[in-house]
Amino acid sequence: TLLSSLGLGTTLTFASSHWLLAWMGLEINTLAIIPLMAQHHHPRAVEATTKYFLTQATAAAMILFASTTNAWITGVWDMNNVSNPVASTMIIAALALKIGLAPMHFWMPEVLQGLDLLTGLVLSTWQKLAPLALIIQTAQAIDPLLLTALGLMSTLIGGWGGLNQTQLRKILAYSSIAHMGWMIIVLQYAPQLTLLALLTYIFMTSAAFLTLKASSATKIGTLATVWSKSPILTTTTALVLLSLGGLPPLTGFVPKWLILQELAEQSLPLVATVMALAALLSLYFYLRLCYAMTLTISPNTTTSTTPWRVQTTQASFPLALATVMALGLLPMT
């Protein structure tokens, strides 16, 4: 029931051109993921669920308020017609809060850290789809400077925030914030590149989360001992992390390359430079994970306690598919 409601909410938002229907889809979506987040009854999970619920409810209320204001002033509930600047600014603020764009990102690492890895995967991929669809539809009515500022701040904060983390889920949360920034920065010039970036991000994040789930790792220290259990998975994981960092010849390079090219063509060299430098910040913490996984192999002594290895019951096909997609899509360009 919950999973179908989760799908239904997002689909409803996709299909709507009326603000009330879009808001309803977002609400159904939020209410469906709440029990999934709290299903383990761990205090940390309950805390994360509460934080998530509060942020999402706030954002939904803001969307409702902004669209009502717009309808009140213009007389239309249509999405493509947000002509009132106050309403459009409030809508982008609420949607940014929903997907965790900086400076509305503070809930994201906290919430993701409290969750199970699979629920975390749903939160970082599927839950981004509906708000992003709304952002893409209303992008033309939003102040370009605001969008650029959101994108730049998100990539910078997503890079800086992840530097000092040891928890893998928090690192992935900051990586998610940075990738969202890349999507938003190019939105007003080439929305199709936003969709491309979203698609590659979903593949890479799925591969990362499913790998962590297979080796049940939640801290960097645990990664150092994975190689003895599954050497081939360790190799592919290192490549997936480099793909997330955006290195050629892996999939992660595709959106970065095309987005920087588009920004340069729109004569925004400074923005493009800052984005490229922000990508370096992100690359640093992916390299730290790679180092811990593949460059600290024995006879070095590991500083962490070796975790108890249990046989995983996870299906290997989704992991294999996501990994292949995260490594091999560069020729697509």
Side-chain angles (χ1 to χ4, degrees):
T1 309
L2 293 173
L3 284 173
S4 57
S5 299
L6 197 66
L8 176 77
T10 304
T11 317
L12 199 61
T13 307
F14 280 168
S16 63
S17 59
H18 190 289
W19 274 115
L20 268 182
L21 203 60
W23 167 79
M24 209 179 330
L26 292 171
E27 281 295 290
I28 293 173
N29 193 341
T30 305
L31 290 177
I33 201 174
I34 294 279
L36 291 174
M37 292 166 83
Q39 65 187 335
H40 292 296
H41 300 299
H42 188 279
R44 188 69 187 78
V46 174
E47 179 192 339
T49 311
T50 312
K51 286 177 180 170
Y52 183 75
F53 173 73
L54 290 173
T55 51
Q56 299 300 304
T58 309
M62 272 181 74
I63 290 173
L64 197 57
F65 179 56
S67 51
T68 314
T69 309
N70 186 58
W72 189 37
I73 292 170
T74 60
V76 266
W77 280 96
D78 201 41
M79 254 185 227
N80 312 322
N81 194 354
V82 189
S83 48
N84 185 27
V86 180
S88 67
T89 307
M90 276 179 56
I91 283 168
I92 189 70
L95 291 169
L97 177 60
K98 266 210 178 290
I99 59 171
L101 283 172
M104 283 77 96
H105 66 285
F106 293 98
W107 61 271
M108 181 92 192
E110 293 292 325
V111 167
L112 206 57
Q113 180 55 37
L115 300 182
D116 179 40
L117 283 164
L118 287 180
T119 319
L121 171 62
V122 173
L123 183 70
S124 3
T125 54
W126 184 254
Q127 292 299 91
K128 303 275 187 247
L129 296 179
L132 260 169
L134 295 185
I135 289 180
I136 289 170
Q137 284 186 65
T138 52
Q140 299 315 313
I142 297 159
D143 182 21
L145 190 63
L146 183 62
L147 278 177
T148 310
L150 280 173
L152 279 175
M153 271 191 78
S154 297
T155 39
L156 285 167
I157 286 177
W160 265 311
L163 292 183
N164 209 15
Q165 300 293 339
T166 56
Q167 299 283 351
L168 296 176
R169 284 166 294 188
K170 281 199 176 175
I171 286 182
L172 283 167
Y174 280 110
S175 122
S176 167
I177 294 167
H179 279 279
M180 288 294 140
W182 279 90
M183 288 173 217
I184 295 299
I185 198 87
V186 79
L187 180 59
Q188 46 197 330
Y189 309 113
Q192 64 273 22
L193 284 186
T194 301
L195 290 174
L196 177 75
L198 177 66
L199 196 67
T200 50
Y201 161 76
I202 286 177
F203 283 139
M204 296 183 296
T205 310
S206 306
F209 269 105
L210 290 170
T211 307
L212 296 181
K213 178 82 175 126
S215 54
S216 59
T218 54
K219 291 193 195 60
I220 292 187
T222 321
L223 288 180
T225 56
V226 171
W227 62 271
S228 60
K229 172 130 190 287
S230 41
I232 295 174
L233 188 64
T234 308
T235 316
T236 55
T237 309
L239 288 172
V240 164
L241 286 166
L242 291 177
S243 179
L244 267 166
L247 291 188
L250 306 166
T251 305
F253 183 54
V254 177
K256 288 200 172 23
W257 176 21
L258 294 175
I259 287 172
L260 288 176
Q261 185 180 326
E262 180 63 34
L263 287 173
E265 279 172 11
Q266 297 286 351
S267 63
L268 295 165
L270 195 61
V271 174
T273 310
V274 175
M275 294 297 280
L277 290 175
L280 280 178
L281 289 169
S282 296
L283 184 62
Y284 175 77
F285 57 79
Y286 298 125
L287 279 175
R288 258 177 71 205
L289 295 185
C290 283
Y291 179 78
M293 277 197 88
T294 54
L295 298 173
T296 52
I297 298 179
S298 90
N300 294 350
T301 52
T302 57
T303 50
S304 59
T305 52
T306 309
W308 186 261
R309 297 281 174 213
V310 288
Q311 195 60 42
T312 177
T313 55
Q314 185 189 342
S316 56
F317 177 69
L319 172 56
L321 183 70
T323 303
V324 168
M325 292 297 199
L327 300 185
L329 286 186
L330 185 69
M332 197 171 62
T333 51

